[in-house]
mmCIF file with all atom_site columns, all heavy atoms in Angstrom:
data_model
loop_
_atom_site.group_PDB
_atom_site.id
_atom_site.type_symbol
_atom_site.label_atom_id
_atom_site.label_alt_id
_atom_site.label_comp_id
_atom_site.label_asym_id
_atom_site.label_entity_id
_atom_site.label_seq_id
_atom_site.pdbx_PDB_ins_code
_atom_site.Cartn_x
_atom_site.Cartn_y
_atom_site.Cartn_z
_atom_site.occupancy
_atom_site.B_iso_or_equiv
_atom_site.pdbx_formal_charge
_atom_site.auth_seq_id
_atom_site.auth_comp_id
_atom_site.auth_asym_id
_atom_site.auth_atom_id
_atom_site.pdbx_PDB_model_num
ATOM 1   N N   . PRO X 1 1  ? 1.947   73.328 -32.090 1.00 86.00 ? 1  PRO X N   1
ATOM 2   C CA  . PRO X 1 1  ? 1.685   73.992 -33.290 1.00 86.00 ? 1  PRO X CA  1
ATOM 3   C C   . PRO X 1 1  ? 0.493   73.594 -34.066 1.00 86.00 ? 1  PRO X C   1
ATOM 4   O O   . PRO X 1 1  ? -0.147  74.391 -34.835 1.00 86.00 ? 1  PRO X O   1
ATOM 5   C CB  . PRO X 1 1  ? 2.970   73.725 -34.109 1.00 86.00 ? 1  PRO X CB  1
ATOM 6   C CG  . PRO X 1 1  ? 4.030   73.386 -33.097 1.00 86.00 ? 1  PRO X CG  1
ATOM 7   C CD  . PRO X 1 1  ? 3.315   72.687 -32.104 1.00 86.00 ? 1  PRO X CD  1
ATOM 8   N N   . SER X 1 2  ? 0.047   72.252 -33.993 1.00 86.00 ? 2  SER X N   1
ATOM 9   C CA  . SER X 1 2  ? -1.106  71.819 -34.634 1.00 86.00 ? 2  SER X CA  1
ATOM 10  C C   . SER X 1 2  ? -2.352  71.797 -33.928 1.00 86.00 ? 2  SER X C   1
ATOM 11  O O   . SER X 1 2  ? -3.531  71.451 -34.411 1.00 86.00 ? 2  SER X O   1
ATOM 12  C CB  . SER X 1 2  ? -0.824  70.317 -35.170 1.00 86.00 ? 2  SER X CB  1
ATOM 13  O OG  . SER X 1 2  ? -0.527  69.412 -34.032 1.00 86.00 ? 2  SER X OG  1
ATOM 14  N N   . MET X 1 3  ? -2.211  72.020 -32.474 1.00 88.00 ? 3  MET X N   1
ATOM 15  C CA  . MET X 1 3  ? -3.407  72.006 -31.816 1.00 88.00 ? 3  MET X CA  1
ATOM 16  C C   . MET X 1 3  ? -3.282  73.078 -30.589 1.00 88.00 ? 3  MET X C   1
ATOM 17  O O   . MET X 1 3  ? -2.633  73.014 -29.706 1.00 88.00 ? 3  MET X O   1
ATOM 18  C CB  . MET X 1 3  ? -3.573  70.571 -30.943 1.00 88.00 ? 3  MET X CB  1
ATOM 19  C CG  . MET X 1 3  ? -4.799  70.405 -30.255 1.00 88.00 ? 3  MET X CG  1
ATOM 20  S SD  . MET X 1 3  ? -4.960  68.707 -29.434 1.00 88.00 ? 3  MET X SD  1
ATOM 21  C CE  . MET X 1 3  ? -5.028  67.853 -30.894 1.00 88.00 ? 3  MET X CE  1
ATOM 22  N N   . PRO X 1 4  ? -4.078  74.147 -30.819 1.00 92.00 ? 4  PRO X N   1
ATOM 23  C CA  . PRO X 1 4  ? -3.994  75.300 -29.835 1.00 92.00 ? 4  PRO X CA  1
ATOM 24  C C   . PRO X 1 4  ? -4.673  74.980 -28.590 1.00 92.00 ? 4  PRO X C   1
ATOM 25  O O   . PRO X 1 4  ? -5.560  74.011 -28.594 1.00 92.00 ? 4  PRO X O   1
ATOM 26  C CB  . PRO X 1 4  ? -4.785  76.431 -30.540 1.00 92.00 ? 4  PRO X CB  1
ATOM 27  C CG  . PRO X 1 4  ? -5.711  75.655 -31.488 1.00 92.00 ? 4  PRO X CG  1
ATOM 28  C CD  . PRO X 1 4  ? -4.940  74.474 -31.962 1.00 92.00 ? 4  PRO X CD  1
ATOM 29  N N   . ALA X 1 5  ? -4.364  75.692 -27.499 1.00 95.00 ? 5  ALA X N   1
ATOM 30  C CA  . ALA X 1 5  ? -4.910  75.362 -26.194 1.00 95.00 ? 5  ALA X CA  1
ATOM 31  C C   . ALA X 1 5  ? -6.327  75.725 -26.134 1.00 95.00 ? 5  ALA X C   1
ATOM 32  O O   . ALA X 1 5  ? -7.085  75.130 -25.391 1.00 95.00 ? 5  ALA X O   1
ATOM 33  C CB  . ALA X 1 5  ? -4.155  76.169 -25.165 1.00 95.00 ? 5  ALA X CB  1
ATOM 34  N N   . LYS X 1 6  ? -6.740  76.601 -26.929 1.00 95.00 ? 6  LYS X N   1
ATOM 35  C CA  . LYS X 1 6  ? -8.186  77.099 -26.989 1.00 95.00 ? 6  LYS X CA  1
ATOM 36  C C   . LYS X 1 6  ? -9.036  76.013 -27.792 1.00 95.00 ? 6  LYS X C   1
ATOM 37  O O   . LYS X 1 6  ? -8.939  75.770 -28.973 1.00 95.00 ? 6  LYS X O   1
ATOM 38  C CB  . LYS X 1 6  ? -8.416  78.418 -27.605 1.00 95.00 ? 6  LYS X CB  1
ATOM 39  C CG  . LYS X 1 6  ? -9.837  78.823 -27.595 1.00 95.00 ? 6  LYS X CG  1
ATOM 40  C CD  . LYS X 1 6  ? -10.097 80.095 -28.402 1.00 95.00 ? 6  LYS X CD  1
ATOM 41  C CE  . LYS X 1 6  ? -9.539  81.413 -27.717 1.00 95.00 ? 6  LYS X CE  1
ATOM 42  N NZ  . LYS X 1 6  ? -9.969  82.530 -28.488 1.00 95.00 ? 6  LYS X NZ  1
ATOM 43  N N   . VAL X 1 7  ? -9.927  75.249 -27.083 1.00 95.00 ? 7  VAL X N   1
ATOM 44  C CA  . VAL X 1 7  ? -10.543 74.174 -27.681 1.00 95.00 ? 7  VAL X CA  1
ATOM 45  C C   . VAL X 1 7  ? -11.835 74.645 -28.470 1.00 95.00 ? 7  VAL X C   1
ATOM 46  O O   . VAL X 1 7  ? -12.228 74.185 -29.380 1.00 95.00 ? 7  VAL X O   1
ATOM 47  C CB  . VAL X 1 7  ? -10.900 73.101 -26.648 1.00 95.00 ? 7  VAL X CB  1
ATOM 48  C CG1 . VAL X 1 7  ? -11.875 72.004 -27.202 1.00 95.00 ? 7  VAL X CG1 1
ATOM 49  C CG2 . VAL X 1 7  ? -9.668  72.457 -26.005 1.00 95.00 ? 7  VAL X CG2 1
ATOM 50  N N   . ALA X 1 8  ? -12.486 75.703 -27.714 1.00 94.00 ? 8  ALA X N   1
ATOM 51  C CA  . ALA X 1 8  ? -13.744 76.232 -28.384 1.00 94.00 ? 8  ALA X CA  1
ATOM 52  C C   . ALA X 1 8  ? -13.997 77.516 -27.654 1.00 94.00 ? 8  ALA X C   1
ATOM 53  O O   . ALA X 1 8  ? -13.514 77.766 -26.541 1.00 94.00 ? 8  ALA X O   1
ATOM 54  C CB  . ALA X 1 8  ? -14.929 75.184 -28.030 1.00 94.00 ? 8  ALA X CB  1
ATOM 55  N N   . GLU X 1 9  ? -14.870 78.253 -28.266 1.00 95.00 ? 9  GLU X N   1
ATOM 56  C CA  . GLU X 1 9  ? -15.287 79.503 -27.797 1.00 95.00 ? 9  GLU X CA  1
ATOM 57  C C   . GLU X 1 9  ? -16.764 79.804 -28.220 1.00 95.00 ? 9  GLU X C   1
ATOM 58  O O   . GLU X 1 9  ? -17.071 79.620 -29.442 1.00 95.00 ? 9  GLU X O   1
ATOM 59  C CB  . GLU X 1 9  ? -14.512 80.767 -28.164 1.00 95.00 ? 9  GLU X CB  1
ATOM 60  C CG  . GLU X 1 9  ? -14.758 82.057 -27.566 1.00 95.00 ? 9  GLU X CG  1
ATOM 61  C CD  . GLU X 1 9  ? -13.814 83.141 -27.819 1.00 95.00 ? 9  GLU X CD  1
ATOM 62  O OE1 . GLU X 1 9  ? -12.877 82.948 -28.714 1.00 95.00 ? 9  GLU X OE1 1
ATOM 63  O OE2 . GLU X 1 9  ? -13.898 84.157 -27.280 1.00 95.00 ? 9  GLU X OE2 1
ATOM 64  N N   . THR X 1 10 ? -17.600 80.170 -27.297 1.00 95.00 ? 10 THR X N   1
ATOM 65  C CA  . THR X 1 10 ? -18.960 80.480 -27.550 1.00 95.00 ? 10 THR X CA  1
ATOM 66  C C   . THR X 1 10 ? -19.311 82.040 -27.155 1.00 95.00 ? 10 THR X C   1
ATOM 67  O O   . THR X 1 10 ? -18.331 82.632 -26.629 1.00 95.00 ? 10 THR X O   1
ATOM 68  C CB  . THR X 1 10 ? -19.995 79.575 -26.835 1.00 95.00 ? 10 THR X CB  1
ATOM 69  O OG1 . THR X 1 10 ? -19.982 79.829 -25.452 1.00 95.00 ? 10 THR X OG1 1
ATOM 70  C CG2 . THR X 1 10 ? -19.587 78.130 -27.073 1.00 95.00 ? 10 THR X CG2 1
ATOM 71  N N   . ASP X 1 11 ? -20.536 82.421 -27.144 1.00 96.00 ? 11 ASP X N   1
ATOM 72  C CA  . ASP X 1 11 ? -20.896 83.743 -26.749 1.00 96.00 ? 11 ASP X CA  1
ATOM 73  C C   . ASP X 1 11 ? -20.766 83.856 -25.149 1.00 96.00 ? 11 ASP X C   1
ATOM 74  O O   . ASP X 1 11 ? -20.733 84.852 -24.738 1.00 96.00 ? 11 ASP X O   1
ATOM 75  C CB  . ASP X 1 11 ? -22.314 84.109 -27.156 1.00 96.00 ? 11 ASP X CB  1
ATOM 76  C CG  . ASP X 1 11 ? -22.403 84.150 -28.641 1.00 96.00 ? 11 ASP X CG  1
ATOM 77  O OD1 . ASP X 1 11 ? -21.299 84.419 -29.441 1.00 96.00 ? 11 ASP X OD1 1
ATOM 78  O OD2 . ASP X 1 11 ? -23.489 84.039 -29.212 1.00 96.00 ? 11 ASP X OD2 1
ATOM 79  N N   . THR X 1 12 ? -20.729 82.708 -24.499 1.00 96.00 ? 12 THR X N   1
ATOM 80  C CA  . THR X 1 12 ? -20.789 82.678 -23.051 1.00 96.00 ? 12 THR X CA  1
ATOM 81  C C   . THR X 1 12 ? -19.559 82.201 -22.326 1.00 96.00 ? 12 THR X C   1
ATOM 82  O O   . THR X 1 12 ? -19.363 82.574 -21.174 1.00 96.00 ? 12 THR X O   1
ATOM 83  C CB  . THR X 1 12 ? -22.132 81.850 -22.675 1.00 96.00 ? 12 THR X CB  1
ATOM 84  O OG1 . THR X 1 12 ? -21.937 80.614 -23.124 1.00 96.00 ? 12 THR X OG1 1
ATOM 85  C CG2 . THR X 1 12 ? -23.448 82.476 -23.004 1.00 96.00 ? 12 THR X CG2 1
ATOM 86  N N   . PHE X 1 13 ? -18.711 81.441 -23.004 1.00 97.00 ? 13 PHE X N   1
ATOM 87  C CA  . PHE X 1 13 ? -17.507 80.891 -22.257 1.00 97.00 ? 13 PHE X CA  1
ATOM 88  C C   . PHE X 1 13 ? -16.569 80.490 -23.254 1.00 97.00 ? 13 PHE X C   1
ATOM 89  O O   . PHE X 1 13 ? -16.730 80.327 -24.505 1.00 97.00 ? 13 PHE X O   1
ATOM 90  C CB  . PHE X 1 13 ? -17.912 79.761 -21.444 1.00 97.00 ? 13 PHE X CB  1
ATOM 91  C CG  . PHE X 1 13 ? -18.274 78.435 -22.147 1.00 97.00 ? 13 PHE X CG  1
ATOM 92  C CD1 . PHE X 1 13 ? -17.333 77.478 -22.507 1.00 97.00 ? 13 PHE X CD1 1
ATOM 93  C CD2 . PHE X 1 13 ? -19.646 78.258 -22.415 1.00 97.00 ? 13 PHE X CD2 1
ATOM 94  C CE1 . PHE X 1 13 ? -17.617 76.409 -23.180 1.00 97.00 ? 13 PHE X CE1 1
ATOM 95  C CE2 . PHE X 1 13 ? -19.872 77.024 -23.090 1.00 97.00 ? 13 PHE X CE2 1
ATOM 96  C CZ  . PHE X 1 13 ? -19.024 76.127 -23.555 1.00 97.00 ? 13 PHE X CZ  1
ATOM 97  N N   . THR X 1 14 ? -15.283 80.294 -22.789 1.00 97.00 ? 14 THR X N   1
ATOM 98  C CA  . THR X 1 14 ? -14.150 79.804 -23.636 1.00 97.00 ? 14 THR X CA  1
ATOM 99  C C   . THR X 1 14 ? -13.723 78.542 -22.968 1.00 97.00 ? 14 THR X C   1
ATOM 100 O O   . THR X 1 14 ? -13.503 78.450 -21.657 1.00 97.00 ? 14 THR X O   1
ATOM 101 C CB  . THR X 1 14 ? -13.054 80.829 -23.742 1.00 97.00 ? 14 THR X CB  1
ATOM 102 O OG1 . THR X 1 14 ? -13.478 82.175 -24.147 1.00 97.00 ? 14 THR X OG1 1
ATOM 103 C CG2 . THR X 1 14 ? -11.886 80.324 -24.616 1.00 97.00 ? 14 THR X CG2 1
ATOM 104 N N   . ALA X 1 15 ? -13.360 77.468 -23.711 1.00 97.00 ? 15 ALA X N   1
ATOM 105 C CA  . ALA X 1 15 ? -12.776 76.327 -23.297 1.00 97.00 ? 15 ALA X CA  1
ATOM 106 C C   . ALA X 1 15 ? -11.412 76.165 -23.585 1.00 97.00 ? 15 ALA X C   1
ATOM 107 O O   . ALA X 1 15 ? -10.991 76.225 -24.738 1.00 97.00 ? 15 ALA X O   1
ATOM 108 C CB  . ALA X 1 15 ? -13.589 75.046 -23.807 1.00 97.00 ? 15 ALA X CB  1
ATOM 109 N N   . TRP X 1 16 ? -10.460 75.740 -22.600 1.00 97.00 ? 16 TRP X N   1
ATOM 110 C CA  . TRP X 1 16 ? -9.154  75.721 -22.738 1.00 97.00 ? 16 TRP X CA  1
ATOM 111 C C   . TRP X 1 16 ? -8.661  74.276 -22.341 1.00 97.00 ? 16 TRP X C   1
ATOM 112 O O   . TRP X 1 16 ? -9.129  73.699 -21.369 1.00 97.00 ? 16 TRP X O   1
ATOM 113 C CB  . TRP X 1 16 ? -8.311  76.625 -21.907 1.00 97.00 ? 16 TRP X CB  1
ATOM 114 C CG  . TRP X 1 16 ? -8.739  78.107 -22.244 1.00 97.00 ? 16 TRP X CG  1
ATOM 115 C CD1 . TRP X 1 16 ? -9.743  78.783 -21.505 1.00 97.00 ? 16 TRP X CD1 1
ATOM 116 C CD2 . TRP X 1 16 ? -8.029  79.007 -23.035 1.00 97.00 ? 16 TRP X CD2 1
ATOM 117 N NE1 . TRP X 1 16 ? -9.694  80.168 -22.055 1.00 97.00 ? 16 TRP X NE1 1
ATOM 118 C CE2 . TRP X 1 16 ? -8.625  80.244 -22.979 1.00 97.00 ? 16 TRP X CE2 1
ATOM 119 C CE3 . TRP X 1 16 ? -6.940  78.826 -23.859 1.00 97.00 ? 16 TRP X CE3 1
ATOM 120 C CZ2 . TRP X 1 16 ? -8.324  81.301 -23.772 1.00 97.00 ? 16 TRP X CZ2 1
ATOM 121 C CZ3 . TRP X 1 16 ? -6.635  80.020 -24.720 1.00 97.00 ? 16 TRP X CZ3 1
ATOM 122 C CH2 . TRP X 1 16 ? -7.265  81.197 -24.570 1.00 97.00 ? 16 TRP X CH2 1
ATOM 123 N N   . ALA X 1 17 ? -7.776  73.712 -23.031 1.00 97.00 ? 17 ALA X N   1
ATOM 124 C CA  . ALA X 1 17 ? -7.131  72.406 -22.717 1.00 97.00 ? 17 ALA X CA  1
ATOM 125 C C   . ALA X 1 17 ? -6.001  72.737 -21.630 1.00 97.00 ? 17 ALA X C   1
ATOM 126 O O   . ALA X 1 17 ? -5.150  73.579 -21.841 1.00 97.00 ? 17 ALA X O   1
ATOM 127 C CB  . ALA X 1 17 ? -6.499  71.753 -23.885 1.00 97.00 ? 17 ALA X CB  1
ATOM 128 N N   . VAL X 1 18 ? -6.084  72.087 -20.476 1.00 98.00 ? 18 VAL X N   1
ATOM 129 C CA  . VAL X 1 18 ? -5.133  72.453 -19.384 1.00 98.00 ? 18 VAL X CA  1
ATOM 130 C C   . VAL X 1 18 ? -4.648  71.165 -18.809 1.00 98.00 ? 18 VAL X C   1
ATOM 131 O O   . VAL X 1 18 ? -5.276  70.075 -18.996 1.00 98.00 ? 18 VAL X O   1
ATOM 132 C CB  . VAL X 1 18 ? -5.925  73.245 -18.267 1.00 98.00 ? 18 VAL X CB  1
ATOM 133 C CG1 . VAL X 1 18 ? -6.159  74.690 -18.878 1.00 98.00 ? 18 VAL X CG1 1
ATOM 134 C CG2 . VAL X 1 18 ? -7.057  72.608 -17.714 1.00 98.00 ? 18 VAL X CG2 1
ATOM 135 N N   . LYS X 1 19 ? -3.578  71.292 -17.953 1.00 97.00 ? 19 LYS X N   1
ATOM 136 C CA  . LYS X 1 19 ? -2.995  70.170 -17.160 1.00 97.00 ? 19 LYS X CA  1
ATOM 137 C C   . LYS X 1 19 ? -2.453  70.830 -15.872 1.00 97.00 ? 19 LYS X C   1
ATOM 138 O O   . LYS X 1 19 ? -2.306  72.103 -15.875 1.00 97.00 ? 19 LYS X O   1
ATOM 139 C CB  . LYS X 1 19 ? -1.943  69.361 -17.779 1.00 97.00 ? 19 LYS X CB  1
ATOM 140 C CG  . LYS X 1 19 ? -0.664  70.141 -18.155 1.00 97.00 ? 19 LYS X CG  1
ATOM 141 C CD  . LYS X 1 19 ? 0.257   69.298 -18.808 1.00 97.00 ? 19 LYS X CD  1
ATOM 142 C CE  . LYS X 1 19 ? 1.676   70.164 -19.077 1.00 97.00 ? 19 LYS X CE  1
ATOM 143 N NZ  . LYS X 1 19 ? 2.712   69.210 -19.635 1.00 97.00 ? 19 LYS X NZ  1
ATOM 144 N N   . TRP X 1 20 ? -2.384  69.946 -14.769 1.00 97.00 ? 20 TRP X N   1
ATOM 145 C CA  . TRP X 1 20 ? -1.849  70.618 -13.544 1.00 97.00 ? 20 TRP X CA  1
ATOM 146 C C   . TRP X 1 20 ? -1.177  69.497 -12.767 1.00 97.00 ? 20 TRP X C   1
ATOM 147 O O   . TRP X 1 20 ? -1.550  68.289 -12.851 1.00 97.00 ? 20 TRP X O   1
ATOM 148 C CB  . TRP X 1 20 ? -2.951  71.175 -12.691 1.00 97.00 ? 20 TRP X CB  1
ATOM 149 C CG  . TRP X 1 20 ? -4.066  70.163 -12.317 1.00 97.00 ? 20 TRP X CG  1
ATOM 150 C CD1 . TRP X 1 20 ? -4.316  69.544 -11.054 1.00 97.00 ? 20 TRP X CD1 1
ATOM 151 C CD2 . TRP X 1 20 ? -5.219  69.848 -13.119 1.00 97.00 ? 20 TRP X CD2 1
ATOM 152 N NE1 . TRP X 1 20 ? -5.398  68.747 -11.166 1.00 97.00 ? 20 TRP X NE1 1
ATOM 153 C CE2 . TRP X 1 20 ? -5.988  68.869 -12.288 1.00 97.00 ? 20 TRP X CE2 1
ATOM 154 C CE3 . TRP X 1 20 ? -5.750  70.164 -14.360 1.00 97.00 ? 20 TRP X CE3 1
ATOM 155 C CZ2 . TRP X 1 20 ? -7.167  68.434 -12.773 1.00 97.00 ? 20 TRP X CZ2 1
ATOM 156 C CZ3 . TRP X 1 20 ? -6.778  69.714 -14.816 1.00 97.00 ? 20 TRP X CZ3 1
ATOM 157 C CH2 . TRP X 1 20 ? -7.626  68.701 -14.095 1.00 97.00 ? 20 TRP X CH2 1
ATOM 158 N N   . PRO X 1 21 ? -0.101  69.856 -12.016 1.00 97.00 ? 21 PRO X N   1
ATOM 159 C CA  . PRO X 1 21 ? 0.671   68.782 -11.264 1.00 97.00 ? 21 PRO X CA  1
ATOM 160 C C   . PRO X 1 21 ? -0.273  68.401 -10.092 1.00 97.00 ? 21 PRO X C   1
ATOM 161 O O   . PRO X 1 21 ? -0.866  69.132 -9.384  1.00 97.00 ? 21 PRO X O   1
ATOM 162 C CB  . PRO X 1 21 ? 1.995   69.534 -10.808 1.00 97.00 ? 21 PRO X CB  1
ATOM 163 C CG  . PRO X 1 21 ? 1.489   70.944 -10.820 1.00 97.00 ? 21 PRO X CG  1
ATOM 164 C CD  . PRO X 1 21 ? 0.543   71.170 -11.918 1.00 97.00 ? 21 PRO X CD  1
ATOM 165 N N   . VAL X 1 22 ? -0.107  67.061 -9.695  1.00 98.00 ? 22 VAL X N   1
ATOM 166 C CA  . VAL X 1 22 ? -0.775  66.451 -8.561  1.00 98.00 ? 22 VAL X CA  1
ATOM 167 C C   . VAL X 1 22 ? 0.097   65.816 -7.607  1.00 98.00 ? 22 VAL X C   1
ATOM 168 O O   . VAL X 1 22 ? 0.275   66.335 -6.485  1.00 98.00 ? 22 VAL X O   1
ATOM 169 C CB  . VAL X 1 22 ? -1.773  65.455 -9.070  1.00 98.00 ? 22 VAL X CB  1
ATOM 170 C CG1 . VAL X 1 22 ? -2.546  64.788 -7.929  1.00 98.00 ? 22 VAL X CG1 1
ATOM 171 C CG2 . VAL X 1 22 ? -2.762  66.024 -10.054 1.00 98.00 ? 22 VAL X CG2 1
ATOM 172 N N   . LEU X 1 23 ? 0.794   64.742 -8.038  1.00 97.00 ? 23 LEU X N   1
ATOM 173 C CA  . LEU X 1 23 ? 1.779   64.223 -7.131  1.00 97.00 ? 23 LEU X CA  1
ATOM 174 C C   . LEU X 1 23 ? 3.111   64.003 -8.084  1.00 97.00 ? 23 LEU X C   1
ATOM 175 O O   . LEU X 1 23 ? 2.993   64.322 -9.179  1.00 97.00 ? 23 LEU X O   1
ATOM 176 C CB  . LEU X 1 23 ? 1.354   62.635 -6.764  1.00 97.00 ? 23 LEU X CB  1
ATOM 177 C CG  . LEU X 1 23 ? 0.033   62.445 -6.090  1.00 97.00 ? 23 LEU X CG  1
ATOM 178 C CD1 . LEU X 1 23 ? -0.394  61.112 -5.889  1.00 97.00 ? 23 LEU X CD1 1
ATOM 179 C CD2 . LEU X 1 23 ? 0.077   63.236 -4.629  1.00 97.00 ? 23 LEU X CD2 1
ATOM 180 N N   . ASP X 1 24 ? 4.093   63.539 -7.386  1.00 94.00 ? 24 ASP X N   1
ATOM 181 C CA  . ASP X 1 24 ? 5.433   63.341 -8.098  1.00 94.00 ? 24 ASP X CA  1
ATOM 182 C C   . ASP X 1 24 ? 5.164   62.335 -9.252  1.00 94.00 ? 24 ASP X C   1
ATOM 183 O O   . ASP X 1 24 ? 4.906   61.197 -9.020  1.00 94.00 ? 24 ASP X O   1
ATOM 184 C CB  . ASP X 1 24 ? 6.487   62.924 -7.159  1.00 94.00 ? 24 ASP X CB  1
ATOM 185 C CG  . ASP X 1 24 ? 7.804   62.725 -7.890  1.00 94.00 ? 24 ASP X CG  1
ATOM 186 O OD1 . ASP X 1 24 ? 8.028   63.353 -8.921  1.00 94.00 ? 24 ASP X OD1 1
ATOM 187 O OD2 . ASP X 1 24 ? 8.800   62.096 -7.331  1.00 94.00 ? 24 ASP X OD2 1
#
């Protein structure tokens, strides 16, 4: 609620905070 996934946006790209599973 206090920190959206969209970190920044410019005229050329959008930056998102992400995570992904790797190992158990």
